[in-house]
């Protein structure tokens, strides 16, 4: 999830990280700390959720589908 540091260290890019509902005006300073904290909170809630179900592999059997 940590993308800011490599972008800052390895490129000349100025990353803009926004959380849903955030706004940013081009060429104005932007502090991504709040958005990153909210994403970290969301990630922790997701991985610790008791309702999170593991994915199940679905086998593809083309005999069950008709193609023109």
């Amino acid at each position: 999830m940590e993308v800011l540091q490599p972008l800052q260290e390895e490129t000349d890019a100025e990353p803009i990280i926004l959380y849903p509902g955030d706004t940013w005006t081009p060429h104005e300073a932007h502090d991504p700390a709040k958005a990153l904290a909210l994403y970290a909170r969301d990630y922790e809630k997701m991985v610790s959720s008791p309702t999170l179900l593991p994915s199940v592999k679905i086998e593809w059997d083309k005999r069950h589908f008709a193609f023109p």
Side-chain angles (χ1 to χ4, degrees):
M1 187 158 150
E2 183 59 51
V3 298
L4 183 61
Q5 186 176 355
L7 284 172
Q8 290 174 323
E9 292 175 356
E10 299 175 22
T11 72
D12 292 331
E14 294 182 33
I16 304 298
I17 300 171
L18 302 173
Y19 190 80
D22 286 351
T23 60
W24 169 70
T25 303
H27 308 291
E28 288 188 7
H30 173 72
D31 181 3
K34 182 179 175 186
L36 289 170
L38 291 170
Y39 279 119
R41 179 203 64 189
D42 292 348
Y43 181 80
E44 288 304 317
K45 283 175 26 180
M46 180 194 68
V47 297
S48 64
S49 172
T51 60
L52 187 63
L53 301 174
S55 61
V56 176
K57 184 175 181 179
I58 298 173
E59 296 295 329
W60 170 260
D61 186 346
K62 64 182 178 182
R63 295 176 294 170
H64 295 258
F65 299 91
F67 294 99

